[in-house]
Amino acid sequence: MDTKHLPEKDSTTPTGWKEWLNSRTGCYSLLRGALDEPIPGGARWAYIFGSGLLYLFLSQVITGVFLALYYVPSSDHAHTTVAYISKVVSSGLFLRSLHAYGATAIVILLFLHISQTLLYGSYKGRREMLWLSGCFLLALMLGMAFTGYLLPWDKQAYFASAVGTNIITEIPVIGSPLQELLRGGSQMGTLTISRFFVLHAFVLPGLLIAFIGAHLFFVSQSGPGGTYQ
């Protein structure tokens, strides 16, 4: 049999069990389509903000899962368990620091990303849905930062969250009921921590994953920043 005219396999073509998995799920084809997308002007530092945000979000999810294994959302145990994570758990302080500094880095990178979008005019053309999904992601990420700030349950977290929930009362009509819903009553306590923890660990991350998926889909539909279709 003459094999000279047979097409050679690309080095990136999956083989063995990877080929079987790709034939059943198409995962490698999807990854190739997402990662091998041509970028106008080639790779540049100007394109790192979106990928950096995705990397930081994944880092927050991973470190947050490990922290949640030890955290107890109650007014009696929250601060104690955070201290236990930092002082007793192996690499606990390192993981907590990654999570805390990662939250700050995400907020900074978000505003840099939005500033770049406004400066470059990347919201123009057929990119309205991309821009709107990004705005929702900004609001959700700020919500993650706000709800996570209370969880250590120290004086700084308590008073900062008290001020934040007091500001909510300035919203007409629904302000006071919304504050009571978040706090679980008129005063801050175990119900407040529990509700903030549920929002921080379950509700907001679920919404973030959904909107990140939508945001990436709109990027694939409208093309990289700076190209208008």
Side-chain angles (χ1 to χ4, degrees):
M1 180 178 178
D2 187 8
T3 59
K4 292 182 179 180
H5 301 291
L6 292 178
E8 294 184 1
K9 281 193 173 182
D10 186 5
S11 59
T12 60
T13 302
T15 58
W17 67 270
K18 295 180 181 180
E19 184 178 9
W20 174 86
L21 182 64
N22 184 56
S23 66
R24 301 302 188 273
T25 64
C27 58
Y28 284 90
S29 301
L30 289 173
L31 284 174
R32 190 178 296 112
L35 299 178
D36 292 345
E37 182 181 9
I39 300 177
R44 293 185 295 172
W45 285 103
Y47 291 115
I48 67 169
F49 294 115
S51 300
L53 284 168
L54 183 58
Y55 170 80
L56 285 174
F57 175 72
L58 294 176
S59 172
Q60 291 297 96
V61 170
I62 295 170
T63 55
V65 168
F66 281 104
L67 294 175
L69 293 176
Y70 296 94
Y71 183 76
V72 179
S74 73
S75 58
D76 295 330
H77 299 94
H79 185 70
T80 304
T81 52
V82 171
Y84 179 80
I85 291 170
S86 301
K87 298 177 181 179
V88 179
V89 176
S90 177
S91 302
L93 181 60
F94 174 70
L95 289 173
R96 189 193 167 203
S97 298
L98 276 181
H99 197 74
Y101 290 122
T104 303
I106 279 185
V107 174
I108 294 173
L109 209 58
L110 266 172
F111 281 101
L112 288 175
H113 190 41
I114 289 180
S115 299
Q116 181 196 42
T117 301
L118 292 171
L119 182 64
Y120 285 20
S122 299
Y123 57 89
K124 299 177 181 178
R126 297 175 55 187
R127 305 172 69 86
E128 299 92 343
M129 297 302 297
L130 181 62
W131 169 254
L132 289 175
S133 63
C135 291
F136 278 113
L137 284 172
L138 171 64
L140 290 171
M141 195 58 71
L142 292 178
M144 284 286 289
F146 177 67
T147 53
Y149 197 80
L150 176 68
L151 299 185
W153 197 243
D154 52 17
K155 287 184 179 180
Q156 184 176 357
Y158 177 89
F159 287 111
S161 298
V163 171
T165 51
N166 285 335
I167 292 174
I168 295 176
T169 59
E170 300 300 322
I171 302 175
V173 183
I174 64 170
S176 295
L178 185 59
Q179 182 203 46
E180 190 169 350
L181 177 65
L182 281 175
R183 287 186 173 185
S186 58
Q187 301 297 322
M188 295 177 60
T190 296
L191 284 178
T192 312
I193 301 177
S194 178
R195 295 185 182 197
F196 273 53
F197 179 73
V198 169
L199 287 171
H200 187 74
F202 299 103
V203 179
L204 293 177
L207 292 173
L208 274 167
I209 291 171
F211 275 97
I212 287 173
H215 195 69
L216 293 176
F217 172 76
F218 292 135
V219 168
S220 66
Q221 293 297 304
S222 58
T227 62
Y228 312 113
Q229 300 175 3

